[in-house]
């Protein structure tokens, strides 16, 4: 878990401008993880300045159980895994 890693920081605070490969950001609208909030996504996407291709995919639905930063919550796309994987695969295969 991110909170247990010494020196870890939220994703939007990382040096995302250094990324130079196609980048897909996938997020659940109801994800309650405090380290990468849905409301922070515009700032995150704006920091991806060196990527040749970027896209944001957002999802809703599924079910959330337990720790909001773990797999059984919306953070892990619990209950909508198939849909999420299909959309990621489509993005990868698109040129």
């Amino acid at each position: 878990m991110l909170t247990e890693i010494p020196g870890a920081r939220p994703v939007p605070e990382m040096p995302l401008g250094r990324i130079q490969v196609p980048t897909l950001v996938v997020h659940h609208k109801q994800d309650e993880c405090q380290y990468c909030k849905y409301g922070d996504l515009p700032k995150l996407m704006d920091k991806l300045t060196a990527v040749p291709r970027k896209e944001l995919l957002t999802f809703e639905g599924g079910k959330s159980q337990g720790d909001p930063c773990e797999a059984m919550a919306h953070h892990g796309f619990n209950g909508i895994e198939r849909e999420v994987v299909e959309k990621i695969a489509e993005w990868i295969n698109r040129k």
Side-chain angles (χ1 to χ4, degrees):
M1 184 190 305
L2 184 61
T3 57
E4 298 168 0
I5 302 170
R9 57 192 159 177
V11 175
E13 293 178 15
M14 294 179 180
L16 304 175
R18 293 172 48 191
I19 299 172
Q20 297 180 8
V21 296
T23 303
L24 175 64
V25 177
V26 182
H27 207 290
H28 194 292
K29 285 185 178 181
Q30 286 96 11
D31 187 344
E32 295 177 6
C33 178
Q34 63 181 332
Y35 294 99
C36 192
K37 299 175 183 172
Y38 187 77
D40 292 339
L41 290 177
K43 179 174 116 177
L44 184 153
M45 297 300 289
D46 286 346
K47 289 179 82 174
L48 295 169
T49 56
V51 301
R53 176 176 149 222
K54 65 181 175 181
E55 187 174 340
L56 169 64
L57 293 179
T58 59
F59 293 89
E60 296 184 71
K63 50 193 169 195
S64 188
Q65 300 171 311
D67 187 324
C69 294
E70 295 293 330
M72 298 308 288
H74 290 306
H75 189 78
F77 304 98
N78 187 18
I80 59 169
E81 297 92 334
R82 181 179 300 265
E83 176 187 0
V84 174
V85 169
E86 287 174 358
K87 294 296 183 185
I88 292 171
E90 287 175 13
W91 187 85
I92 291 169
N93 289 318
R94 217 174 329 142
K95 301 284 183 206

